[in-house]
C-alpha cells in the first residue's frame, strides 16, 4: 500500500464515498481477484434502489453499512498500523474511524487502543490530547466487560510510565486499580504497586484517594499498608519507628528513605498548619513538629508552600508563621469539626463587622427636615405655609 492510498481514507466526502473508500482500502490487502467479492456486500447496502430514501437520510441502511465495516475492524486496525504511511495519516484514519463508531459501541475501545499504541511507538502521546477524565467517561459509556476496561487502563498506565510522564501515569494507575474487583487475584499486588508509586513520587502528597479504592482497602495485610497509613495520618516519629524495622521493605519497593523523610516532614507541617489556620505559629513550634533546627524552619516552610500544602506569611522579625491556608491530609470527622469551628468563628466575626457598618451608617445619616403641614380643602390638597409663632411674655 502506498501513502497516497491512505491519505484520503475516511477523511471527507459523502457517507457513501467514505465507506467505499475505506472498504477499497481494506481490499488492497487481499489478492486482486478476491477484491470484487469483498467489496460487493458494501456496494449492495450503499446502492439506493428505486423507492428507497437516499442513504444520507436512511438511518437503518447507514447503520447496516457501518456494522459491516466494523465487523472488519481487526483487519482494518492491522492494515492501518502496518501501512507504509506517515503517522499523521494513520492518526487521521484511526481518529475518523473512532468518531464514526457509535458513541456507546464497545468497538471504540480497540480503535482507541490502536491510537494509543501508535502514539506510544512514535513517542507522540501528547498528540492525542485526551484527558484521564475523558477516558473514564468513555469507559463508562462503552459496552465492554470489566476485564476489558481493566486491561485497557493497564495499557494506558504502562505506556505513560514508559514515556516518562509519571503524573499522567499515576492518574491512570489510580483508575486501573479502581477498576479491579477486590476479589480479583491481581488486586493485592496491583494495590501494593500503587502504594509504592505514591510513596516514591516526589510530588504526591495526597494519599486520601488511595483509601477510597476497594482494592487498596482490601490489601490491609500488604507490607506497605502500615506505611501508607502513617503518611495519611501520622508524623515523623511514627515513620522513623516503622523505617527502623523495615529496611528490607524499603529496598524491595525501591523507596528512597531521604525522599520519604522529606515528604513526612512536609505532611506534618501541613497538619500543624491546618490546626492553626488564621493563627501565628512560632518558629519553635514548627521546628518541634518536624524535628529540625529553628534556623531551618523557613526553608521547610518555603518547600511546603511550593508543594501547595500551605499558604502562609513568614515574619522574620517576630519569628512567626501566619497560616492563611493549609491542606488537610484526610477529610474525616476531625477535619469536619475543625471546619465547623472556623465557619462559626467566621460567622461571628462577620456579624460584628455588619454591626459596626450599620452603626456607622446611622451616625452619618443627616436628620430629615420637618414635614410641611398639609391641609385638605374642598378643592384639593394645599401645603400650608408655616406662620411665625408669637412669643408669649
Amino acid at each position: 500500500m502506498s501513502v497516497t492510498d491512505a491519505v484520503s481514507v475516511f477523511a471527507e466526502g459523502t457517507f457513501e464515498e467514505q465507506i467505499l473508500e475505506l472498504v477499497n482500502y481494506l481490499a488492497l490487502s487481499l489478492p486482486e481477484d478476491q477484491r470484487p467479492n469483498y467489496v460487493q456486500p458494501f456496494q449492495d447496502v450503499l446502492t439506493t434502489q428505486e423507492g428507497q430514501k437516499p442513504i444520507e437520510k436512511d438511518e437503518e441502511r447507514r447503520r447496516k453499512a457501518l456494522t459491516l465495516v466494523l465487523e472488519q475492524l481487526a483487519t482494518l486496525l492491522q492494515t492501518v498500523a502496518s501501512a507504509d504511511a506517515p503517522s499523521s495519516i494513520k492518526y487521521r484514519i484511526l481518529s475518523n474511524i473512532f468518531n464514526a463508531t457509535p458513541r456507546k459501541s464497545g468497538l471504540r475501545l480497540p480503535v482507541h487502543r490502536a491510537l494509543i499504541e501508535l502514539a506510544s511507538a512514535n513517542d507522540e502521546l501528547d498528540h492525542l490530547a485526551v484527558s484521564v477524565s475523558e477516558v473514564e467517561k468513555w469507559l463508562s459509556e462503552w459496552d465492554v466487560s470489566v476485564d476489558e476496561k481493566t486491561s485497557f487502563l493497564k495499557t494506558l498506565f504502562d505506556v505513560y510510565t514508559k514515556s516518562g510522564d509519571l503524573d499522567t501515569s499515576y492518574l491512570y494507575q489510580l483508575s486501573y486499580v479502581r477498576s479491579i474487583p477486590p476479589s480479583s487475584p491481581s488486586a493485592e499486588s496491583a494495590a501494593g504497586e500503587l502504594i509504592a508509586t505514591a510513596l516514591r513520587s516526589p510530588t504526591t502528597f495526597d494519599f486520601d484517594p488511595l483509601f477510597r479504592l476497594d482494592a487498596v482497602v482490601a490489601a490491609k495485610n500488604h507490607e506497605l499498608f502500615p506505611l501508607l497509613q502513617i503518611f495519611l495520618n501520622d508524623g515523623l516519629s511514627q515513620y522513623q519507628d516503622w523505617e527502623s524495622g523495615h529496611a528490607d521493605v524499603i529496598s524491595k519497593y525501591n523507596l528512597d528513605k531521604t525522599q520519604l523523610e522529606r515528604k513526612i516532614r512536609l505532611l506534618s507541617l501541613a497538619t500543624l498548619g491546618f490546626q492553626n489556620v488564621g493563627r501565628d505559629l512560632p518558629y519553635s513550634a514548627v521546628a518541634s513538629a518536624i524535628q529540625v533546627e529553628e534556623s531551618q524552619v523557613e526553608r521547610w516552610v518555603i518547600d511546603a508552600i511550593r508543594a501547595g500544602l500551605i499558604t502562609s506569611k513568614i515574619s522574620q522579625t517576630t519569628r512567626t508563621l501566619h497560616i492563611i491556608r493549609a491542606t488537610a491530609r484526610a477529610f474525616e470527622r476531625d477535619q469536619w469539626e475543625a471546619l465547623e469551628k472556623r465557619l462559626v468563628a467566621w460567622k461571628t466575626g462577620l456579624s460584628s463587622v455588619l454591626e459596626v457598618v450599620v452603626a456607622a451608617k446611622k451616625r452619618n445619616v443627616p436628620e430629615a427636615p420637618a414635614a410641611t403641614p398639609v391641609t385638605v380643602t374642598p378643592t384639593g390638597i394645599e401645603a400650608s405655609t408655616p406662620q411665625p409663632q408669637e412669643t408669649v411674655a
Side-chain angles (χ1 to χ4, degrees):
M1 296 183 184
S2 67
V3 171
T4 54
D5 290 328
V7 167
S8 60
V9 171
F10 224 23
E12 55 186 21
T14 65
F15 178 83
E16 180 179 357
E17 290 169 342
Q18 289 181 358
I19 293 292
L20 284 176
E21 195 167 25
L22 180 60
V23 170
N24 283 316
Y25 179 70
L26 287 171
L28 294 177
S29 62
L30 300 174
E32 190 169 353
D33 60 340
Q34 295 180 20
R35 294 175 189 175
N37 290 335
Y38 180 84
V39 174
Q40 190 61 50
F42 297 93
Q43 290 178 323
D44 292 342
V45 173
L46 294 170
T47 301
T48 301
Q49 304 294 336
E50 186 176 351
Q52 286 184 317
K53 293 185 292 185
I55 194 163
E56 284 76 12
K57 298 181 179 180
D58 192 332
E59 184 65 28
E60 184 59 33
R61 276 201 299 144
R62 285 165 62 90
R63 185 180 295 110
K64 186 174 180 180
L66 188 58
T67 299
L68 285 173
V69 170
L70 296 177
E71 286 175 353
Q72 307 298 320
L73 187 60
T75 301
L76 172 60
L77 297 180
Q78 183 179 3
T79 301
V80 173
S82 60
D84 182 17
S87 59
S88 59
I89 294 173
K90 297 180 182 181
Y91 288 134
R92 187 200 309 175
I93 296 169
L94 293 173
S95 296
N96 285 330
I97 295 171
F98 180 87
N99 293 328
T101 305
R103 185 175 183 85
K104 295 185 178 181
S105 172
L107 293 171
R108 275 193 160 194
L109 190 152
V111 178
H112 194 57
R113 185 190 291 274
L115 271 167
I116 289 291
E117 291 173 349
L118 174 63
S120 177
N122 291 282
D123 195 22
E124 296 172 338
L125 286 170
D126 56 324
H127 289 191
L128 297 182
V130 177
S131 68
V132 178
S133 59
E134 284 178 297
V135 172
E136 289 179 335
K137 185 175 186 297
W138 289 340
L139 288 173
S140 70
E141 296 174 340
W142 296 343
D143 183 18
V144 294
S145 68
V146 172
D147 287 345
E148 287 174 311
K149 291 179 182 179
T150 299
S151 174
F152 182 59
L153 288 168
K154 179 65 164 59
T155 296
L156 289 166
F157 161 54
D158 288 340
V159 298
Y160 277 97
T161 299
K162 179 183 176 183
S163 74
D165 184 352
L166 299 184
D167 290 339
T168 304
S169 168
Y170 178 64
L171 293 176
Y172 277 120
Q173 191 176 14
L174 281 170
S175 294
Y176 162 58
V177 175
R178 186 183 297 114
S179 72
I180 303 175
S183 58
S184 171
S186 63
E188 182 170 328
S189 62
E193 283 301 321
L194 174 61
I195 295 170
T197 298
L199 292 170
R200 280 194 296 261
S201 169
T203 58
T204 299
F205 293 93
D206 186 4
F207 294 92
D208 192 46
L210 277 68
F211 283 91
R212 302 181 187 279
L213 303 181
D214 292 340
V216 172
V217 174
K220 59 184 178 181
N221 294 323
H222 192 279
E223 54 195 338
L224 282 178
F225 194 83
L227 183 58
L228 178 62
Q229 290 179 306
I230 289 171
F231 273 77
L232 181 70
N233 298 309
D234 297 322
L236 183 59
S237 297
Q238 291 81 3
Y239 163 72
Q240 290 172 335
D241 290 342
W242 182 91
E243 185 268 327
S244 64
H246 294 85
D248 56 331
V249 178
I250 290 175
S251 175
K252 178 179 177 180
Y253 291 95
N254 194 29
L255 301 177
D256 184 331
K257 289 192 292 185
T258 302
Q259 185 69 261
L260 291 174
E261 194 167 295
R262 169 185 170 269
K263 288 177 71 169
I264 198 65
R265 276 198 167 97
L266 291 176
L267 289 169
S268 298
L269 179 51
T271 297
L272 182 65
F274 187 80
Q275 294 167 346
N276 293 276
V277 171
R279 301 174 187 167
D280 290 335
L281 279 172
Y283 280 18
S284 57
V286 177
S288 175
I290 63 176
Q291 299 181 29
V292 298
E293 298 293 330
E294 285 191 32
S295 60
Q296 297 179 312
V297 165
E298 290 180 12
R299 179 176 71 82
W300 283 99
V301 170
I302 292 171
D303 202 359
I305 292 172
R306 287 173 176 167
L309 294 172
I310 63 170
T311 301
S312 65
K313 292 182 179 179
I314 299 173
S315 173
Q316 294 179 327
T317 305
T318 61
R319 296 181 64 78
T320 58
L321 180 68
H322 183 75
I323 305 296
I324 299 170
R325 181 199 65 82
T327 299
R329 291 161 69 180
F331 221 89
E332 298 176 348
R333 184 181 182 85
D334 291 346
Q335 286 72 36
W336 281 114
E337 289 177 351
L339 178 59
E340 181 184 22
K341 289 178 182 177
R342 287 183 207 158
L343 289 174
V344 169
W346 176 78
K347 182 179 179 181
T348 302
L350 184 59
S351 297
S352 300
V353 171
L354 289 175
E355 289 174 3
V356 171
V357 171
V358 171
K361 284 185 175 179
K362 287 181 178 178
R363 287 196 301 269
N364 295 328
V365 173
E367 293 185 7
T372 302
V374 175
T375 303
V376 180
T377 68
T379 59
I381 301 176
E382 297 178 357
S384 302
T385 301
Q387 299 299 318
Q389 300 293 317
E390 292 184 1
T391 302
V392 179

